Amino acid sequence: MITIRAKNGLDMNIPGQPDGPASRLMDMERVGLSPASFPHIRPKLLVKVGDKVRQGSILFADKRNPDIGFASPGGGTVESIDYGPRRAINAITIRVDREEAREDRGVLDRHQLAVLSRDALARHLMAGGLWPLIRSLPFRDIADPAFTPPAIIINLDTLDPFHAEPALYLDGSAGAFLFGLDALKRLAPAVYIVACRKEDTLPPEIRGLVTHRVRGRFPADDPGVFLYYTRASAAANRCWYIHGRDVVLLGKFLSSGVYPVKRLVSVSSPNGSRHVLSRLGAPLALLAPEVRNHDTHVTIAGGLWRGQVAGPNDYLGLYDAALTLLPAGNQPEFLGFLRPGRRKPSHWRAFLSALHNDPLALDAGRHGEERACVNCGSCAAVCPVDILPQFTLKSVLAGEIEEALAHGLLDCVECGLCAYVCPSKIELTFLLRQARESYYREQQAVGERP
Amino acid sequence: MKAVRKIFDAGRRHFQPGGRLALLAPLFAAMETFFFIPGETSRRQPFIRDSLDLKRFMSVVILALAPPLLFGIYNTGYQASRTAGLPPDFLSVTARGLWIVMPLIIVSYGVGFFWEMLFAAIRRHPISEGFLVTGLLFPLTLPPTIPLWQAALGISFGVVIGKEIFGGTGRNIFNPALTGRAFLFFAYPARMSGDPVWVARLTPGVDAVTGATPLGLAALSQVGQKIETILAGSDFSFFRMLIGHHAGSIGETSALCCLAGAVILIATGVGSFRIIAGGILGVLATGGLLNLFAGPAAQPWFGLNPFYHLVMGGFAFGIVYMATDPVSAPGLEPAKWVYGFCIGALTVLIRVFNPAYPEGVMLSILFMNLFSPLLDHVGIALRLKKRIPNV
Ligand code: SF4
Ligand code: SF4
């Protein structure tokens, strides 16, 4: 096992980490799937309102590669299809039948898997709706099956706060994980299994397989950070990655032929935190009733740092394993900058809170106004992949995309730390991501030309 | 708190577009956000933000400026009282100090704010907190005898030429307070140097009160003399210079107070210890190196104990408060060491090789301000060389 020490990053002592056993929440009247929760895709709807679908039926495909299907997280009737601005599909809602019908894609055993061609295996996963679990660096796009990546990175942990430890989601699923791992090994010449914390709690069969240990603060769990520390040449930049919990899904699907929907979700809110054994596509309002108070609370699906803001009508997405609720932080604070700040969480040492280590509650307030960059350098001090965000951003704003790329724009893992620490409240993460996206679209446009 | 809220809510409409005072909108916003950190939810990833904002950042600098400011007020009053033969008890001395210093601070803030406002209104950008620091730094570097109109001119030059013509806070390459001071130095040298300017006159008619400064005395040294002896002869022991209980610029005399400020800046992370430590190293290394060339026939400056450089003149004030200004300093950590070191080294070199112009720290900092983008540029180029590209 190779140990990597990741520099920089940030760990915060936040109250309300869920622990203890998970409660079960599987029965629900409706489930849903949102194409908008998948990066970069151009969805093509394959169902309409009123259609009968099974759990695992393909609801829509990606126009860029129509073989890549996105599966229904439940069996029943398509109840509604919500469109957002510019006819983007917000959500497809399915009313679940009492007896859910399931799509049967055929059982594979170890031997069959071993003789299946790489191509056939990829097709099987695409048709089954599992392929989107595999993504590619650096754009975090869904993997292109026609391309053989240098390696696939499996991250067992999530250091984004409130996520369940691997021991919890692997509990009783070690076999499925190993089966999924076998499949991944067919797709790339190398598969790395990366652990960040507490390998000793992993099931023994898996503990021995861990190839890398990354020690460090958030976001040391990120495949992009792993790659930053391990790549020896630019050839390794286009690795694929998949989370450990999704490897379990791959294994379950291959060995049963059924689209698996069980998902362990960590729900944390100011009113308490808990693990919930639920399912993909679960309505967020069912997982945490507080989601409905969206004036006073901000709901983040997918983790405190990396997640997206969600509303009461949203559903648990394919990549989400955490639901975090924060107070909106929208109360003006009288003479806020003069307060001693004993309970103010801060990366800086300019509040009294620097003198103790107690957990400090966060909110979603911006805590100040946007100002010009004062070149304080704190964004660079936290960046896990050694980008100088302030200089990279300046190149981006000046339209010098080549220079921004040389600075490491594509290595950015979108962790959000730079924007968090910035005293000038500059939207560094957002602006850098926008720049990456527009560069990505440019690349796509070039690629599509005959 | 509610009452304050009401005042703002009642006044807001006048400052909104179309209101009578629409041009003063930045002033209104500055006042309002001074009292209330706006309650805004962050709308972009990440949805959490640090509790520290630029107001807090700059308040920490103001806090760190408190020791030299308070001591400066007392000391200015004390020096003036002593020469005027007035009783030196603490309260009356402080009152006289306030009487001399406060007008300067008020003029500095008042005139500076006028320019800030003007540019903010024209450019429609918010008033930056950076000025809270500039407006206080500037008067502290002045001799107490400076006429108010010159102070007004200096701060105007500092804000307009030192900052606004570059595009405002964050874009300026020079420290605005230092720019203003340098302007006064070159425009009105008689008011900014020499012996007679360091003690304020309280009694009209008493002319040419001289209060020699350690640097001024040292500049008079002849070959064969030892500066330490000359200083000691005028009762300038190392210890007294460290405390700073002597004539000089209002806030600059006490290295000890600056050290207290440095501790605040470094402990909070607001000031870069690399710059400060680099500066001290630069002084000691250069001073020590020159010691090697000191002989009976050499300039006395060569043989000066390098630690004296740290406590003489405005070095301590400059390196702690001016050099650490993040905007005009380099952003990369290794570059900050080099930057600080060069400031220290240049300060000593200017003092030694140009004794006619003993206060080297101001020019060293301005000079290195000019080079800090270059230092960053080189630092970035070295970093990028090591980086495996991802394109
Ligand atoms: S640039 Fe910002 S968002 Fe990107 S990796 Fe660095 S700290 Fe994270
Ligand atoms: S943290 Fe913000 S203010 Fe500081 S250097 Fe980075 S972008 Fe500039």
Side-chain angles (χ1 to χ4, degrees):
Chain A
M1 195 186 326
I2 301 167
T3 301
I4 298 160
R5 296 203 182 274
K7 300 182 298 170
N8 304 348
L10 198 65
D11 270 347
M12 289 198 286
N13 192 0
I14 310 167
Q17 299 287 342
D19 57 2
S23 58
R24 236 180 114 79
L25 177 69
M26 298 295 277
D27 296 330
M28 42 197 76
E29 276 172 32
R30 288 177 180 79
V31 292
L33 185 64
S34 164
S37 64
F38 299 92
H40 307 299
I41 64 161
R42 296 196 351 241
K44 176 176 166 35
L45 259 187
L46 301 176
V47 291
K48 55 185 186 308
V49 174
D51 280 3
K52 280 274 177 203
V53 292
R54 301 164 192 252
Q55 175 179 324
S57 298
I58 300 301
L59 296 183
F60 59 91
D62 185 359
K63 277 183 196 155
R64 302 173 307 169
N65 182 348
D67 291 339
I68 300 182
F70 296 79
S72 169
T77 317
V78 177
E79 187 179 74
S80 66
I81 297 173
D82 299 333
Y83 291 91
R86 290 202 278 158
R87 298 221 23 103
I89 307 163
N90 266 355
I92 303 166
T93 305
I94 289 133
R95 190 215 300 275
V96 179
D97 287 348
R98 184 162 310 195
E99 283 301 315
E100 275 187 71
R102 293 174 175 159
E103 210 69 73
D104 185 0
R105 307 279 178 185
V107 176
L108 284 183
D109 61 22
R110 278 230 137 72
H111 176 71
Q112 285 165 314
L113 178 62
V115 297
L116 207 62
S117 70
R118 178 187 190 271
D119 199 39
L121 174 62
R123 281 185 178 286
H124 186 57
L125 293 174
M126 286 190 274
L130 278 287
W131 188 263
L133 293 173
I134 309 172
R135 302 212 272 164
S136 65
L137 290 169
F139 295 106
R140 310 204 169 223
D141 194 3
I142 292 165
D144 174 3
F147 172 76
T148 304
I152 299 179
I153 302 162
I154 302 175
N155 274 88
L156 296 179
D157 292 83
T158 309
L159 296 185
D160 203 329
F162 308 126
H163 277 80
E165 284 173 21
L168 265 176
Y169 69 74
L170 284 174
D171 189 27
S173 301
F177 181 89
L178 295 178
F179 202 51
L181 178 64
D182 280 347
L184 291 173
K185 283 185 174 155
R186 306 286 313 287
L187 297 174
V191 177
Y192 304 128
I193 303 184
V194 186
C196 292
R197 293 203 170 148
K198 296 199 189 148
E199 306 84 274
D200 45 336
T201 60
L202 295 175
E205 330 59 312
I206 295 174
R207 202 184 309 156
L209 295 176
V210 172
T211 58
H212 293 77
R213 219 170 16 187
V214 187
R215 291 285 178 260
R217 291 171 282 194
F218 173 82
D221 59 306
D222 191 278
V225 174
F226 169 78
L227 194 62
Y228 176 71
Y229 281 100
T230 54
R231 67 186 172 186
S233 74
N237 281 324
R238 299 295 184 264
C239 280
W240 288 358
Y241 67 95
I242 177 170
H243 197 275
R245 61 175 170 257
D246 297 332
V247 180
V248 171
L249 295 188
L250 283 191
K252 285 196 172 146
F253 169 73
L254 293 171
S255 58
S256 70
V258 175
Y259 184 74
V261 293
K262 248 195 230 169
R263 164 74 28 108
L264 181 69
V265 192
S266 329
V267 179
S268 35
S269 91
N271 306 330
S273 305
R274 55 204 174 266
H275 289 307
V276 183
L277 188 58
S278 187
R279 62 189 283 173
L280 295 175
L284 299 186
L286 204 62
L287 287 169
E290 304 95 310
V291 172
R292 295 204 185 87
N293 314 335
H294 52 87
D295 296 330
T296 52
H297 285 80
V298 171
T299 307
I300 307 167
L304 182 66
W305 290 102
R306 302 272 188 59
Q308 290 304 316
V309 161
N313 302 322
D314 286 328
Y315 302 97
L316 191 72
L318 186 59
Y319 304 127
D320 301 341
L323 191 65
T324 313
L325 285 117
L326 294 174
N330 52 2
Q331 293 304 315
E333 195 187 0
F334 185 60
L335 290 181
F337 74 106
L338 289 178
R339 306 213 163 181
R342 237 182 55 77
R343 311 297 309 166
K344 286 194 175 191
S346 175
H347 161 69
W348 296 73
R349 297 182 301 265
F351 295 98
L352 283 189
S353 57
L355 300 176
H356 63 77
N357 223 346
D358 305 347
L360 294 173
L362 295 166
D363 64 35
R366 205 173 52 172
H367 303 296
E369 298 160 285
E370 186 159 345
R371 291 288 184 261
C373 169
V374 291
N375 199 17
C376 67
S378 37
C379 49
V382 290
C383 179
V385 289
D386 286 326
I387 297 169
L388 298 165
Q390 76 274 47
F391 292 107
T392 313
L393 183 63
K394 278 175 193 161
S395 332
V396 165
L397 296 180
E400 298 284 348
I401 195 71
E402 291 300 324
E403 201 178 321
L405 292 172
H407 274 268
L409 178 65
L410 295 192
D411 288 334
C412 171
V413 299
E414 297 174 11
C415 63
L417 292 182
C418 50
Y420 172 76
V421 298
C422 179
S424 292
K425 313 291 168 191
I426 296 171
E427 301 289 355
L428 289 152
T429 306
F430 170 76
L431 293 166
L432 292 178
R433 190 179 58 215
Q434 259 192 336
R436 285 157 58 86
E437 270 167 18
S438 74
Y439 179 70
Y440 173 81
R441 278 196 299 273
E442 233 169 72
Q443 295 295 97
Q444 291 278 92
V446 174
E448 274 172 17
R449 249 180 245 147
Chain B
M1 174 186 153
K2 284 238 174 69
V4 184
R5 184 79 263 166
K6 266 193 198 133
I7 296 175
F8 282 112
D9 289 343
R12 178 167 296 106
R13 65 195 168 86
H14 298 303
F15 295 91
Q16 277 160 350
R20 279 185 296 147
L21 301 168
L23 264 185
L24 295 180
L27 183 68
F28 182 80
M31 297 290 289
E32 185 175 15
T33 59
F34 177 86
F35 283 104
F36 295 95
I37 293 185
E40 265 171 56
T41 304
S42 57
R43 290 278 162 228
R44 311 253 193 234
Q45 185 214 8
F47 300 96
I48 49 173
R49 296 302 160 93
D50 201 289
S51 301
L52 183 120
D53 64 349
L54 216 56
K55 282 196 175 61
R56 179 73 170 197
F57 189 96
M58 294 302 169
S59 341
V60 170
V61 186
I62 301 276
L63 183 71
L65 270 169
L69 169 68
L70 298 178
F71 181 80
I73 290 173
Y74 166 79
N75 187 46
T76 305
Y78 178 85
Q79 302 300 335
S81 308
R82 207 178 50 118
T83 37
L86 293 167
D89 63 297
F90 180 78
L91 276 183
S92 53
V93 160
T94 309
R96 278 175 219 127
L98 280 171
W99 181 251
I100 301 165
V101 176
M102 282 323 279
L104 282 173
I105 295 181
I106 292 168
V107 163
S108 167
Y109 270 133
V111 175
F113 253 121
F114 165 77
W115 290 112
E116 283 282 327
M117 261 296 304
L118 190 67
F119 280 94
I122 294 172
R123 292 214 182 96
R124 297 179 198 290
H125 65 55
I127 294 179
S128 159
E129 288 77 15
F131 181 71
L132 293 176
V133 173
T134 305
L136 187 56
L137 271 180
F138 173 73
L140 291 186
T141 63
L142 299 177
T145 53
I146 190 104
L148 291 180
W149 64 269
Q150 284 186 8
L153 208 58
I155 191 71
S156 303
F157 190 88
V159 170
V160 178
I161 306 294
K163 183 165 79 177
E164 293 299 345
I165 61 163
F166 292 103
T169 303
R171 302 207 172 80
N172 49 308
I173 52 173
F174 296 112
N175 179 318
L178 259 185
T179 312
R181 189 197 196 267
F183 167 78
L184 288 186
F185 182 86
F186 290 112
Y188 306 99
R191 283 290 186 182
M192 297 289 288
S193 51
D195 278 350
V197 303
W198 303 112
V199 177
R201 265 156 288 172
L202 289 170
T203 36
V206 181
D207 250 12
V209 186
T210 53
T213 62
L215 278 180
L217 276 173
L220 302 173
S221 58
Q222 304 290 323
V223 172
Q225 287 177 312
K226 248 185 115 44
I227 294 182
E228 285 95 327
T229 327
I230 301 177
L231 289 173
S234 293
D235 203 17
F236 280 121
S237 64
F238 181 85
F239 187 66
R240 181 157 173 242
M241 292 191 290
L242 179 72
I243 304 285
H245 205 7
H246 55 75
S249 297
I250 295 166
E252 286 184 350
T253 57
S254 173
L256 197 64
C257 288
C258 297
L259 189 66
V263 169
I264 295 177
L265 288 179
I266 292 171
T268 53
V270 164
S272 162
F273 80 91
R274 293 177 178 84
I275 295 177
I276 300 178
I280 294 173
L281 276 179
V283 165
L284 296 182
T286 316
L289 189 72
L290 291 173
N291 279 180
L292 301 179
F293 297 100
Q299 279 288 336
W301 274 106
F302 281 81
L304 180 65
N305 177 347
F307 282 92
Y308 271 58
H309 281 294
L310 298 179
V311 296
M312 291 164 73
F315 173 75
F317 191 84
I319 198 77
V320 171
Y321 299 107
M322 302 286 196
T324 55
D325 164 22
V327 177
S328 52
L332 297 194
E333 296 185 343
K336 287 181 181 167
W337 281 107
V338 178
Y339 175 78
F341 189 92
C342 290
I343 290 176
L346 280 173
T347 305
V348 173
L349 292 178
I350 294 176
R351 284 179 182 176
V352 172
F353 290 105
N354 190 3
Y357 171 60
E359 189 44 283
V361 68
M362 174 183 78
L363 278 197
S364 323
I365 295 175
L366 284 175
F367 191 70
M368 288 313 295
N369 280 175
L370 196 60
F371 279 93
S372 76
L374 183 68
L375 290 179
D376 270 342
H377 183 79
V378 173
I380 291 174
L382 291 176
R383 269 174 80 117
L384 294 191
K385 243 192 208 152
K386 279 189 278 175
R387 194 171 188 102
I388 297 170
N390 186 349
V391 185

